[in-house]
Amino acid sequence: MTDERPAEPSPDSSDDEPDETDPARGDAVDGVSESGGDSGPTNDLTLAEFHDACQREGRPVLTAGAVARWLDQPHERVSERLTALSEEGELERLSVSTDPVVWYPSELDDLTERERVVVFPKRREIVVDRPAQFTRAQLSQFAHLADANGENGYRYVVRPEDVWQAPHESFESLERTVRQALGQRSPALEEWIHSQWDRAHQFRLTTHDDGYTVLEAKSAEVMGNVGRQKLDEEHVHAPISETEDWVRDGAEAAIKRLLYEAGYPVQDHRDLESGEDLPIDLTVGLREYQQTWVDRFSETGEGVFVGPPGSGKTVAAMGAMSHVEGETLILVPSRDLARQWADAVAEYTSLEPSQIGQYHGGQKNVRPVTIATYQIAGMDRHRSLFDDREWGLVIFDECQHVPSDVYRRSTHLQSRHRLGLSASPIREDDRQTEIFTLVGPPIGTDWQALFDAGFVAEPELEIRYVPWGDDEQRNAYVSAEGRERYRIAAENRGKVDEIRYLLSAHPDSKALVFVDYLEQGREVADAVDAPFLSGETPHHERRRLLEEFRRDERDLLVVSRVGDEGIDLPTADLAIVASGLGGSRRQGTQRAGRTMRPAGGALVYVLATRGSREEDFARRQLQHLGRKGMTVREQTVEPTDES
């Protein structure tokens, strides 16, 4: 029996009165009726206002009393106007036993097709039903897509960091974008956005004529009450004036982070070295949204490309390299990704292989474009190789690693331009804001827009609650505690039978099976007669297996946690997550993303042991994907006679 439910409920509009809005976006506005004439007295009822009442009531069929109550107009006057709209063919009337008359739009489908926007200024939320692509593009410039219910309903939240990174030269320009997106004015929301815009322009780092760095404040008050309260002698030498401080060498990143945490992002206007010129031509065309990412990056010289796996962040990053045309350092989590980056740069740009170097445990070559691992870049004995070179651009792949203490050392590499790449810059320690202070602001397109445009296929996700494979494991689970209990549920042998069943149900699919434990991976691989790719697999063997999978010479791989980020897995038609539900939301994103591709449908099955903590882990992990617009189903697997 299938139990389908939304990943997360829509916000309750009763918390906060929405702004007066024009929900019909183009019906009656500013006193002009839909027929084009003057709407007459202010208490005349227009079709747009009827739609507004329907929105507030949550029903497309209303009585005259309900309309009068919601619009705060006299009942008699509303009844007269409803009758007039009916005679004009705009509304239909229907007599029912419980009320003399109910009213509904003549074109009821039109109510469900139209774009509607409701603003909740106190919560700084915007709920949009069936938004046009233009509206979503405008909203993405100053708001964060927090929820998509899979039925063309979207909830946006305007956070401080969204305003701080808005791609506008002036508040007036941002204000126009806000009004275009909302189709109205929202004084309370606009006032708050203006206050955040001002915060983002209170501090900046500049380069003094003598070559050292200066922290400048917009006023003596903000320098004294914020800058000099948050910073100490570790960060600055001494005041230069009431609004200027002399910055210690190497303290720039710490200053940016501390002031960001205080609610004052720092504008970085330093004259950083741009490195040697390096002409780079991109040999492939960028999709429209990729070009938008590159354009946004070119305006500020820093940022994080955020998009689902398969959206082409690597190619977009090469577009940024082509824009900068400077020597580039690319930092990655593993040597496998370093090799794949080197191959991609050689394939998609005009650079010769001799201009591309790799620097990691396998080889150590510094070239105009160098791909290195985070670990190597952070080691003292190798740091000089990078610090001594003036990089025009530093790219942080899988940049959610950057805030980790071992990786943060690499952010001291100074460059005129910084770019991060991430499918999901979420960290379970809630330090993801550091990504944007250390690398740059988020730049991206909401996942649903890529699904709708067909650039990335939306996979179908299903959680399957699997019974225990035998009583021995079930009894061991009951008596175990902590992590041991979690591991027993993860390695439930009943999942092996379910994996076999799912693979047989999709015989023509290219499939990836994900596991968290080596012993389980070997057991599953033996059961389905497939290779097991793990951290123990030699690099040359990994390369061969992945190439065979890409060339359709192999249609099934069992993959350990190494597949989450350490290697660039090819896309598949089918993904089965057998264990790993206690992992991060980012891990769920990565694994589901292995099935995202430009064409065709794909399936992701998540197996959770029924009655164990895995049920909660599965829902928590996949709620994150549900909020990005994916549909998540749930299915209970009934035990077989044998079990």
Side-chain angles (χ1 to χ4, degrees):
M1 180 177 180
T2 302
D3 177 17
E4 297 189 20
R5 66 193 73 172
E8 188 166 294
S10 300
D12 183 355
S13 59
S14 63
D15 293 351
D16 184 10
E17 284 298 315
D19 273 9
E20 290 302 317
T21 184
D22 167 31
R25 305 300 299 275
D27 288 341
V29 185
D30 295 333
V32 180
S33 70
E34 293 192 298
S35 60
D38 185 83
S39 63
T42 57
N43 64 352
D44 267 5
L45 175 67
T46 67
L47 181 61
E49 290 171 319
F50 183 84
H51 283 308
D52 189 19
C54 289
Q55 173 79 7
R56 297 184 181 199
E57 184 76 7
R59 302 173 55 196
V61 178
L62 299 179
T63 64
V67 176
R69 182 177 69 254
W70 280 113
L71 301 182
D72 194 23
Q73 294 189 14
H75 186 285
E76 182 179 356
R77 180 61 181 167
V78 167
S79 296
E80 292 176 0
R81 185 56 185 150
L82 288 171
T83 301
L85 287 173
S86 176
E87 292 172 352
E88 295 167 9
E90 302 287 5
L91 295 181
E92 299 291 337
R93 55 186 294 161
L94 178 67
S95 297
V96 295
S97 58
T98 57
D99 198 281
V101 177
V102 293
W103 306 85
Y104 63 92
S106 299
E107 298 292 339
L108 190 57
D109 287 342
D110 184 54
L111 179 65
T112 61
E113 292 296 329
R114 68 179 65 230
E115 174 184 285
R116 297 169 64 77
V117 178
V118 181
V119 182
F120 300 90
K122 292 181 182 177
R123 300 202 307 253
R124 299 191 293 278
E125 292 185 359
I126 303 160
V127 178
V128 193
D129 185 47
R130 298 186 179 275
Q133 187 58 45
F134 171 80
T135 301
R136 284 162 64 173
Q138 299 297 88
L139 284 168
S140 70
Q141 296 186 45
F142 65 90
H144 166 70
L145 179 63
D147 258 320
N149 64 13
E151 298 177 358
N152 299 301
Y154 301 81
R155 180 172 68 92
Y156 289 85
V157 178
V158 186
R159 306 168 302 179
E161 57 264 36
D162 300 317
V163 178
W164 297 346
Q165 61 88 31
H168 293 273
E169 293 296 327
S170 65
F171 174 73
E172 289 71 26
S173 175
L174 172 58
E175 186 179 54
R176 285 193 297 272
T177 295
V178 172
R179 292 176 180 175
Q180 287 173 343
L182 305 184
Q184 60 179 297
R185 294 188 178 189
S186 176
L189 181 60
E190 289 178 18
E191 181 180 354
W192 182 84
I193 290 175
H194 196 178
S195 70
Q196 294 302 318
W197 176 270
D198 282 344
R199 276 179 170 262
H201 293 81
Q202 293 296 320
F203 289 99
R204 67 173 188 162
L205 291 171
T206 63
T207 301
H208 193 273
D209 290 341
D210 293 335
Y212 57 84
T213 300
V214 175
L215 176 66
E216 293 182 358
K218 196 170 183 179
S219 67
E221 289 74 19
V222 76
M223 176 61 88
N225 295 331
V226 179
R228 289 169 184 160
Q229 293 295 320
K230 296 295 179 181
L231 307 177
D232 55 32
E233 61 273 9
E234 294 182 9
H235 310 108
V236 294
H237 288 288
I240 300 173
S241 69
E242 289 187 338
T243 59
E244 297 173 306
D245 277 3
W246 181 1
V247 174
R248 289 186 179 276
D249 289 343
E252 293 86 356
I255 289 172
K256 292 166 72 173
R257 185 174 65 254
L258 287 168
L259 292 181
Y260 188 101
E261 291 170 352
Y264 291 86
V266 178
Q267 304 289 312
D268 197 340
H269 294 166
R270 288 175 292 164
D271 298 330
L272 295 174
E273 297 295 338
S274 58
E276 296 294 328
D277 290 341
L278 182 66
I280 302 174
D281 292 326
L282 200 60
T283 58
V284 294
L286 294 177
R287 297 168 180 168
E288 182 179 353
Y289 68 87
Q290 291 171 320
Q291 186 62 57
T292 300
W293 294 355
V294 174
D295 292 344
R296 291 273 296 274
F297 167 79
S298 67
E299 292 171 2
T300 60
E302 61 180 17
V304 178
F305 288 168
V306 180
S311 58
K313 296 184 293 295
T314 300
V315 173
M318 293 181 209
M321 291 169 60
S322 179
H323 166 76
V324 172
E325 291 198 319
E327 295 193 346
T328 301
L329 174 64
I330 303 166
L331 297 173
V332 299
S334 71
R335 69 168 72 177
D336 285 301
L337 279 180
R339 177 188 56 80
Q340 291 159 13
W341 258 98
D343 292 344
V345 172
E347 181 177 358
Y348 297 123
T349 74
S350 58
L351 295 176
E352 298 294 329
S354 60
Q355 296 174 288
I356 305 166
Q358 297 180 53
Y359 199 99
H360 47 68
Q363 53 180 293
K364 295 178 174 62
N365 299 309
V366 178
R367 303 279 169 76
V369 171
T370 300
I371 305 104
T373 60
Y374 285 109
Q375 292 92 333
I376 287 286
M379 291 180 182
D380 289 337
R381 64 179 181 272
H382 298 297
R383 283 283 302 278
S384 62
L385 292 171
F386 305 114
D387 289 343
D388 292 346
R389 200 177 189 104
E390 295 174 351
W391 300 104
L393 171 65
V394 178
I395 297 175
F396 299 86
D397 196 9
E398 302 289 0
C399 68
Q400 63 273 6
H401 287 300
V402 172
S404 299
D405 294 336
V406 69
Y407 293 117
R408 280 178 58 180
R409 299 177 66 186
S410 63
T411 63
H412 291 292
L413 293 166
Q414 293 303 294
S415 169
R416 183 183 293 272
H417 302 96
R418 290 167 172 263
L419 176 64
L421 308 180
S422 181
S424 182
I426 289 178
R427 291 180 53 84
E428 302 307 309
D429 56 12
D430 294 322
R431 291 168 66 187
Q432 59 262 28
T433 55
E434 290 192 26
I435 295 171
F436 307 128
T437 62
L438 297 171
V439 182
I443 298 171
T445 303
D446 70 70
W447 288 30
Q448 190 64 47
L450 301 183
F451 296 153
D452 293 346
F455 290 121
V456 180
E458 175 186 353
E460 299 179 31
L461 280 77
E462 182 172 294
I463 306 174
R464 296 178 70 84
Y465 301 112
V466 180
W468 288 100
D470 55 54
D471 290 338
E472 180 185 354
Q473 279 192 314
R474 178 166 44 204
N475 294 335
Y477 176 83
V478 172
S479 60
E481 296 180 356
R483 294 294 299 176
E484 181 62 21
R485 178 176 254 211
Y486 161 70
R487 177 166 182 154
I488 293 170
E491 294 185 318
N492 171 17
R493 284 188 285 271
K495 294 180 180 180
V496 176
D497 291 335
E498 186 64 18
I499 292 168
R500 283 200 195 100
Y501 166 75
L502 292 172
L503 292 175
S504 66
H506 305 283
D508 298 325
S509 296
K510 290 179 64 177
L512 296 170
V513 180
F514 292 97
V515 298
D516 245 25
Y517 299 104
L518 295 179
E519 183 177 346
Q520 181 188 29
R522 288 189 282 265
E523 181 181 355
V524 170
D526 289 342
V528 300
D529 191 24
F532 177 39
L533 197 156
S534 72
E536 296 180 349
T537 309
H539 289 284
H540 66 88
E541 181 70 6
R542 288 191 207 175
R543 200 155 45 239
R544 181 183 66 81
L545 291 172
L546 293 173
E547 284 302 320
E548 290 175 355
F549 195 91
R550 288 190 183 92
R551 295 196 299 261
D552 297 328
E553 297 171 3
R554 185 177 295 278
D555 59 10
L556 176 60
L557 289 174
V558 180
V559 185
S560 76
R561 190 178 290 186
V562 71
D564 294 331
E565 294 171 346
I567 59 176
D568 183 18
L569 281 173
T571 52
D573 306 303
L574 175 66
I576 301 173
V577 180
S579 61
L581 304 184
S584 65
R585 290 167 287 171
R586 186 177 73 248
Q587 185 183 61
T589 300
Q590 293 286 346
R591 290 180 170 182
R594 299 310 181 186
T595 65
M596 295 181 188
R597 57 210 174 105
L603 297 167
V604 178
Y605 292 107
V606 176
L607 308 185
T609 297
R610 196 170 69 195
S612 75
R613 292 182 61 199
E614 279 197 319
E615 290 193 8
D616 295 332
F617 285 137
R619 290 193 181 99
R620 183 193 70 178
Q621 197 178 74
L622 295 182
Q623 274 181 351
H624 173 56
L625 295 171
R627 285 192 291 269
K628 290 181 176 296
M630 297 185 193
T631 301
V632 179
R633 300 190 303 269
E634 296 179 83
Q635 174 76 42
T636 297
V637 178
E638 295 302 327
T640 62
D641 293 338
E642 291 76 10
S643 55

